[in-house]
Amino acid sequence: MQPKVKKTWKQVDGVLLLDKASGMTSNDALQKARRLFSAAKGGHTGTLDPMATGLLPLCFGEATKFSADLLDADKTYEADVKLGITTDTGDAEGQVLTNAAVTTSIADVERLLPRFTGPIKQIPPMHSALKRDGRPLYELARQGIEVEREARDVTIHALDMLGLEGDVLRLRVSCSKGTYIRVLAADIGQVLGCGAHLTALRRTRVGDLVLERSVTLSQLELQDEVQRGTHLLPVDALLQSLPAVHLAAAEANRFSHGNPVTLPTGLLGKIRVYAEGRLLGVGEPGPGSLLWPKRLVQLAS
């Protein structure tokens, strides 16, 4: 028997846009990608349900310091909604609750979509990772326990019908953080009077990052180390929506050592900071009308 070779991990800094396959958790996808890159440190920017596919930005090394910035980002999905059937989870993995005839037309859908566009309220599903008294709701749901949940404010920026074929409605949804697409599907089914549940979900955008630039695990497995490296985006790929400041050498040295520097006029909120084209980190306006370091990178990109 061949002796087991110990895995060698290395410092890898960058962002991988992964096209996650259905049937795996986001953490499983992260760990498989991390092993392919031999990355010593990795994280993701918000989970996709196992059933869902599509864009899952992964962060390696110094990029993990900025992964939280995408948690608040708007997202876009393409969803398949089966009309006429409701389930206890709101998606295809649940148990069927009701069955009804479907007489919905394209005109019916077009009339109701504006009701779900803009600021709306959603009641989080019991089958979710939200916690009650330290326990995830899905654990309670598995025990047959249902607890009251407060409706949450979310925003549907755009809701477009991509097609209606028989009892399957296809939608494109651009929404704020915290939006449950399976709740949206169930609510639409309720208004139509026939019920509905989510059968497929594909995420196509997270913030400024798009699915078209992504790669699958299957593709990565067929490539060598050099080829895989071409898919890594720089650390600041997660920060492109932030204004940028470029510092001269003296101020760059101060900022890199955790000290504030002069704040350019008119800039507010988080700011990405560079010197000689390399990312130093992220700063924010603070006391003394100065730009204060908030997160610094050790290996600038």
Side-chain angles (χ1 to χ4, degrees):
M1 180 181 291
Q2 293 287 338
K4 189 174 181 179
V5 178
K6 186 176 180 180
K7 179 70 175 177
T8 300
W9 302 99
K10 61 184 180 181
Q11 180 71 25
V12 177
D13 300 300
V15 177
L16 177 69
L17 302 187
L18 185 70
D19 183 352
K20 186 186 86 67
S22 181
M24 64 168 53
T25 68
S26 295
N27 189 59
D28 286 342
L30 167 64
Q31 298 309 326
K32 289 182 179 181
R34 182 172 159 251
R35 289 190 69 85
L36 287 171
F37 283 87
S38 300
K41 185 178 182 181
H44 58 66
T45 58
T47 60
L48 271 176
D49 287 342
M51 183 187 83
T53 68
L55 184 58
L56 180 66
L58 302 179
C59 303
F60 298 134
E62 292 296 283
T64 60
K65 293 180 177 179
F66 308 106
S67 60
D69 289 273
L70 277 197
L71 295 177
D72 294 337
D74 292 338
K75 300 171 179 67
T76 300
Y77 299 90
E78 292 182 359
D80 287 1
V81 179
K82 186 169 181 63
L83 304 176
I85 298 174
T86 65
T87 70
D88 60 355
T89 61
D91 61 25
E93 297 181 342
Q95 299 295 315
V96 173
L97 296 177
T98 64
N99 225 311
V102 178
T103 59
T104 300
S105 67
I106 289 176
D108 292 332
V109 176
E110 289 177 338
R111 278 194 295 269
L112 75 84
L113 291 186
R115 292 178 55 176
F116 293 95
T117 305
I120 65 171
K121 289 186 178 293
Q122 283 192 334
I123 297 176
M126 277 300 301
H127 290 266
S128 68
L130 294 178
K131 293 185 177 181
R132 173 66 61 87
D133 298 327
R135 297 181 64 191
L137 291 182
Y138 64 77
E139 286 187 1
L140 299 176
R142 288 170 184 168
Q143 297 173 22
I145 300 172
E146 182 165 351
V147 297
E148 188 174 347
R149 288 97 64 204
E150 288 188 9
R152 303 193 334 180
D153 294 317
V154 298
T155 301
I156 307 296
H157 301 294
L159 181 57
D160 302 305
M161 180 172 59
L162 300 180
L164 176 63
E165 298 180 8
D167 58 4
V168 177
L169 171 63
R170 299 199 66 242
L171 299 170
R172 180 185 295 115
V173 186
S174 295
C175 56
S176 66
K177 71 168 185 174
T179 302
Y180 287 96
I181 307 301
R182 53 198 161 110
V183 172
L184 177 65
D187 289 347
I188 287 174
Q190 183 177 27
V191 173
L192 288 171
C194 59
H197 70 281
L198 186 69
T199 57
L201 184 66
R202 185 159 178 77
R203 188 158 68 188
T204 60
R205 182 179 65 87
V206 178
D208 295 325
L209 306 176
V210 293
L211 181 63
E212 287 76 11
R213 300 185 67 185
S214 66
V215 63
T216 66
L217 283 173
S218 297
Q219 291 170 323
L220 290 172
E221 287 168 349
L222 296 175
Q223 297 177 346
D224 60 27
E225 184 177 354
V226 174
Q227 290 173 315
R228 288 175 193 145
T230 63
H231 297 290
L232 276 184
L233 302 179
V235 171
D236 64 352
L238 302 180
L239 307 174
Q240 294 304 300
S241 63
L242 304 181
V245 165
H246 296 265
L247 302 180
E251 286 203 315
N253 184 61
R254 282 183 51 79
F255 189 87
S256 295
H257 286 84
N259 298 304
V261 297
T262 302
L263 176 66
T265 303
L267 292 184
L268 301 171
K270 294 178 181 178
I271 300 166
R272 50 194 166 112
V273 181
Y274 296 83
E276 297 181 346
R278 296 176 299 170
L279 179 69
L280 301 180
V282 168
E284 290 183 3
S289 298
L290 297 172
L291 178 60
W292 290 75
K294 292 299 178 183
R295 277 168 288 172
L296 299 172
V297 297
Q298 295 178 351
L299 297 176
S301 297

